[in-house]
Structures are given as C-alpha cells and as structure tokens.
Amino acid sequence: MKDDLSSIFHKPEFKQLLAKYSDMINNHTTIYLEPDEITLLAEFYASMGNIRASEEVVNYGLSLHPDNLDILIFKCHNLIVKGYTTEAQEVLNSITDQSDYEVRLLQAELYLAQKRNQEADELLNQLYQDEKDIDTMLDIAHLYMDEHQKKNAYFWLQKAVSEAPDNLGVLEELASYHFSFGNPEEAANLYNRLLDEAPYTIDFWHNLIRCYLRMYKPEKAMEAIDFAMAIDDTNLITWELKSNALLLENEIEQALDCLFYIEKYTTEKPYIQNIIMSIYFITQNYQKVLEYADKITVSNNLTDFEMASLYHKKGYSHLQLGNVQACEEDIEQGLAYDNHNSDLYLLRGELQLTKGKPEDAQQAFHYGRLFAENEAEAISYAGNAYFRYEYWQQALSCFKEQEKLAPETMHGNYYLTAYCYYRSGQDEDMLTYLVRGAIFSPESLKKEEQENTPFHNDTHFLEQAKAVFMKIENGEINPMKYLQD
C-alpha cells in the first residue's frame, strides 16, 4: 500500500525521462540511461501493472550495465513475481556479492515464494542480527506481508513499534499492515496520525482515501481528496481515486470526467483507457466499449491475458449490437491469445444460441465451465443465456445445478427458475421458487425494476409473482417450508 515512488513519477524530471525512453522505443533507436534511471522506469511500469514493459526496461538496462546490482535485483524480483523461481535463483546466483544486504533480503523473498519458510526465517533472523536497526525490521515485516504471513509480519512490526513508537516509517508500515489484512479503520487512524505530523505528504493522503473507499465512506474519501487536490491538483493518482469515490456514489458521468482528465495527461494511456472501457461495458454503452477497445489495441502493450479479456468485451458488445459476424471474429482473436479463457467460451455458447444451435452452445458452455475460476458463475451465465433465447429446459437444468453447487449465488435467479417451471406447467415447483424470489430478490417486482426483468411482458406470471409476494407479506404463506431443499 506504500507509494514511496508515486510522487516521483509526477515530477517533471521523471516525465522527461519517460518521454525520452518512450521516444526511443517508438523510433527504434538506442539511448544511454543510468542504472538508477533504468530501475525507476522499471518500477514505474511495474506499478502500472505492465510487467512486460518493466521487463523490457530491465533487459535494456542489462545490455548497458550487465553487472549492475540494482538492475539484477530488479530482474530477479520480476521473475519471482511471475512465479519463475528457478530462473530467479539463477540470476541471484550470478550476483558476485552474495553478502550484500539487498541480495540476502531477495534470497529470503525467494525462499518464501518457494514455501521454504524455515530457511527464510533463519536467513531473516540472521540478517537482523547483522543489521540491527528499524529499517531492517520494516523490510522483514514487509516481506512477510507480501507473502500474507500475518503473524510473522506483526511480530516484526511490534518489535519496531516497541523500539520507535513515533517513527513515521514504522507507523506507515503498521498502517499498511492493517489495510492489507482487512482493518481499514485502524489504518485510517494511523494515516490521520501521520498526516498530523506530515500534512503535505501526498502518499499519506492517497492511502487515507483508499481506507475510506475500502470502508465504503465516499463522503470521507471526497473530503480527503479535496485536501490532496489542494496540495497538487494535477496528481493523476488523486484524480483516479476521485473517480473511484464517485463510482461508489454511482456518479458515473463525473467519474468518467476524472478518467478523461487522466487519459489526456497520462503517459500510460492503455491502463486508464481499460478502466474507461470497463465502465462503459458495465453501463452497457457498447458503442463506446468498441471505441475504447480499438484505442487500447493500437497501443500493442497488453499481455495475452489482457488481450483475450479485451476481445471478450469487444465480442460481447458486437453481439449486443447485433453484429454476429464481428462477435465471432472477436472470439477467435481472443482465443488465439488465451485458449483457456472461460468468458470467451461462454460468449461462444451464447453466440451459438443466436444461430439456433443449442448442441454447439452446450459444447462451448462446457469449456466455459471447465476453465472458469468460479464454476457457479459460469453455470449462471449459461442458464441466463438459455433463458434469454427461450430454451426453458436447458435454463432450468443450469439453475438447478447452480443451486446444488452454490446455493448462495442463486438469489438473482430464483424468479428465472420459477418462470422456467411456469413455462413447463409445473405449478408446484413454480410456487416454491416464487416464494424464494419474494424472499431473496423482491426488488424484481418493484414497478421501477420491472423493465429489467426477463418476464415483464408476461402479465399472467407477473400477477402470480406479486400475489405470492403479498400473501407472504400478509402471513397467508409461511415461506419457511419453501426454503428447505
């Protein structure tokens, strides 16, 4: 959660460096860069989630400075993040000075990534014996935090607090600990304490805002944003956090205005354009999704996973706009980047239903479920697709399977299940799911929500659903017997 370098990234000197490096890439030329410039650029790209670009900077840096310790350490760290621990160990072994503090710390990080916890603990304890100071304690605590080892992280943080209870670095790391492990309230208290001592530190304001967002307190977040803006109203991180606060308040247009500001001034346009595209996707502005998808594609700066996700959004948008052929092409393009992408297979299943090919749809849905991180969500998607195209039995089969697998995910599909039974003439089962719908998703029957229900044109069914809801309200139906499996 610490943003030690974020303020540096907004300084004119770094922007000039970034522009110089970007020109080099775009013009296919070479320039000389100092090792610290290389690591700063690599850190910037890594902070934006662009690991590929970060690796490219590191590799270029090693072509200029093949034995530079800081660049080698950064390369090793990137490999650990990607899970390439064998390759990381090879790079680490190639470093001449194995006694260097940063090298030993990195070896401990590698041990933790390899689940060699005892060796990591021993190395870190010895490191502290050799370097008994606050910074060592904080570095060790930070490593354990990154590996989600809450108990060990807390031990070293408490050790640091006991020796330097008012040290700003200690308080900042403790705040980061509380935020990381689900206690944003305590983290917010600590960041407020830090701001009492250093009121113009923009990183502290950013992290305080993140705490309020995590606590779903957009009003408090906006108050903190106003202070951050007073310090620097051009800081793009502040603008992004403001967009997050506005999204929490469902102020979509204002949030987009913030993101447009960032898009105008950022050097990493694909990152922010992807956020804008995702908002348009969620709000069903499919023409804008396609517009931004094309902008992002031109950058040619995404991982294969990200490209597959982008083509899914393009394909879904094309389908919603009635362009079946373009949807089919997008699916093929996306699978060329990632042939295990669940969303693309699910979309292919829906596409087959538009063509009246339920057998082909079933096969696509099978692969969508097979590769899904959350099988219940994949089953729900398939059920809803069958429902929209009026394959009632297939939809019902999906919903029943979803209910058996993960009943807590079924709430939004109870009325759909009831409608499937209604269309099949199974009144007793329909009643069961009308009751469950009334209990778990009554908002579907509110007048302002009816246009969003898939059965809003079926007056007879809607009247029955409302009648059941009223009978429950009046005590004429005891819902408990309908909530049992």
Side-chain angles (χ1 to χ4, degrees), residues 67-95:
D67 298 319
N68 183 268
L69 179 61
D70 290 336
I71 301 176
L72 286 170
I73 286 175
F74 207 101
K75 181 179 180 67
C76 187
H77 179 72
N78 270 353
L79 290 167
I80 293 172
V81 169
K82 292 176 67 178
Y84 298 158
T85 56
T86 301
E87 293 85 346
Q89 188 68 69
E90 290 173 358
V91 173
L92 196 54
N93 291 341
S94 73
I95 296 175

Side-chain angles (χ1 to χ4, degrees), residues 22-42:
S22 298
D23 286 342
M24 182 198 82
I25 296 298
N26 294 332
N27 296 322
H28 307 288
T29 58
T30 58
I31 59 174
Y32 179 80
L33 294 171
E34 294 290 347
D36 60 333
E37 293 177 317
I38 293 291
T39 53
L40 193 57
L41 285 166

Side-chain angles (χ1 to χ4, degrees), residues 184-185 188-189 192 195 204-228 241-242 244-246 248-249:
E185 293 83 3
N189 291 336
N192 275 309
L195 284 163
F204 294 165
W205 284 110
H206 288 162
N207 286 331
L208 178 62
I209 294 163
R210 292 183 179 108
C211 291
Y212 288 139
L213 293 175
R214 180 74 64 85
M215 294 157 66
Y216 296 97
K217 293 185 175 181
E219 302 87 356
K220 297 288 288 184
M222 289 300 291
E223 290 176 11
I225 287 165
D226 288 341
F227 281 104
L241 291 169
K242 184 175 182 179
N244 292 340
L246 289 165
L248 275 184
E249 294 184 307

Side-chain angles (χ1 to χ4, degrees), residues 229-241:
M229 285 286 189
I231 296 170
D232 179 4
D233 63 1
T234 66
N235 188 291
L236 300 186
I237 293 175
T238 309
W239 280 93
E240 185 176 353
L241 291 169

Side-chain angles (χ1 to χ4, degrees), residues 134 190 297:
I134 295 298
L190 287 164
T297 304

Side-chain angles (χ1 to χ4, degrees), residues 180-406:
S180 298
F181 291 107
N183 189 358
E185 293 83 3
E186 182 58 30
N189 291 336
L190 287 164
Y191 281 120
N192 275 309
R193 184 175 164 188
L194 285 162
L195 284 163
D196 288 340
E197 299 297 324
Y200 296 103
T201 304
I202 197 74
D203 292 342
F204 294 165
W205 284 110
H206 288 162
N207 286 331
L208 178 62
I209 294 163
R210 292 183 179 108
C211 291
Y212 288 139
L213 293 175
R214 180 74 64 85
M215 294 157 66
Y216 296 97
K217 293 185 175 181
E219 302 87 356
K220 297 288 288 184
M222 289 300 291
E223 290 176 11
I225 287 165
D226 288 341
F227 281 104
M229 285 286 189
I231 296 170
D232 179 4
D233 63 1
T234 66
N235 188 291
L236 300 186
I237 293 175
T238 309
W239 280 93
E240 185 176 353
L241 291 169
K242 184 175 182 179
S243 75
N244 292 340
L246 289 165
L247 287 172
L248 275 184
E249 294 184 307
N250 204 33
E251 297 289 351
I252 305 298
E253 293 303 319
Q254 291 183 50
L256 283 170
D257 286 341
C258 294
L259 296 171
F260 294 149
Y261 176 88
I262 301 170
E263 182 185 16
K264 181 178 179 180
Y265 293 106
T266 185
T267 55
E268 278 295 288
K269 294 190 186 301
Y271 166 76
I272 211 69
Q273 287 169 344
N274 195 46
I275 295 174
I276 294 171
M277 180 183 69
S278 297
I279 292 173
Y280 280 134
F281 187 76
I282 293 169
T283 56
Q284 301 179 7
N285 190 336
Y286 298 119
Q287 200 61 55
K288 282 291 187 180
V289 172
L290 296 176
E291 176 186 325
Y292 269 85
D294 288 341
K295 287 184 180 182
I296 297 167
T297 304
V298 169
S299 72
N300 195 29
N301 204 22
L302 299 182
T303 65
D304 288 352
F305 172 83
E306 290 168 332
M307 286 299 293
S309 178
L310 181 144
Y311 274 108
H312 166 257
K313 289 184 175 68
K314 279 189 69 176
Y316 189 88
S317 299
H318 274 131
L319 186 62
Q320 297 306 309
L321 294 171
N323 194 337
V324 172
Q325 181 62 37
C327 173
E328 196 158 18
E329 292 171 2
D330 290 331
I331 292 170
E332 294 305 319
Q333 290 265 33
L335 290 174
Y337 284 102
D338 180 6
N339 63 2
H340 284 184
N341 185 288
S342 171
D343 290 336
L344 286 167
Y345 283 108
L346 293 172
L347 180 58
R348 174 181 276 176
E350 185 169 0
L351 177 64
Q352 295 304 325
L353 292 179
T354 69
K355 297 179 177 181
K357 298 179 178 180
E359 295 82 7
D360 292 342
Q362 183 179 16
Q363 184 181 34
F365 287 142
H366 166 75
Y367 285 110
R369 290 177 54 179
L370 183 66
F371 298 129
E373 291 185 10
N374 187 319
E375 187 179 6
E377 287 184 3
I379 296 171
S380 179
Y381 183 100
N384 276 269
Y386 280 128
F387 190 96
R388 284 192 294 273
Y389 294 96
E390 301 187 3
Y391 290 94
W392 311 120
Q393 289 304 317
Q394 291 92 329
L396 183 58
S397 177
C398 287
F399 294 142
K400 293 298 291 179
E401 191 172 0
Q402 178 190 354
E403 186 174 34
K404 182 178 180 181
L405 179 66

Side-chain angles (χ1 to χ4, degrees), residues 376-444:
E377 287 184 3
I379 296 171
S380 179
Y381 183 100
N384 276 269
Y386 280 128
F387 190 96
R388 284 192 294 273
Y389 294 96
E390 301 187 3
Y391 290 94
W392 311 120
Q393 289 304 317
Q394 291 92 329
L396 183 58
S397 177
C398 287
F399 294 142
K400 293 298 291 179
E401 191 172 0
Q402 178 190 354
E403 186 174 34
K404 182 178 180 181
L405 179 66
E408 71 280 1
T409 69
M410 266 294 290
H411 296 176
N413 288 338
Y414 280 135
Y415 275 123
L416 308 191
T417 307
Y419 193 75
C420 289
Y421 280 124
Y422 166 77
R423 292 300 297 250
S424 303
Q426 297 173 257
D427 292 346
E428 187 174 339
D429 290 319
M430 177 191 72
L431 177 59
T432 296
Y433 285 89
L434 285 178
V435 172
R436 294 181 182 183
I439 297 298
F440 292 108
S441 56
E443 66 278 357
S444 297

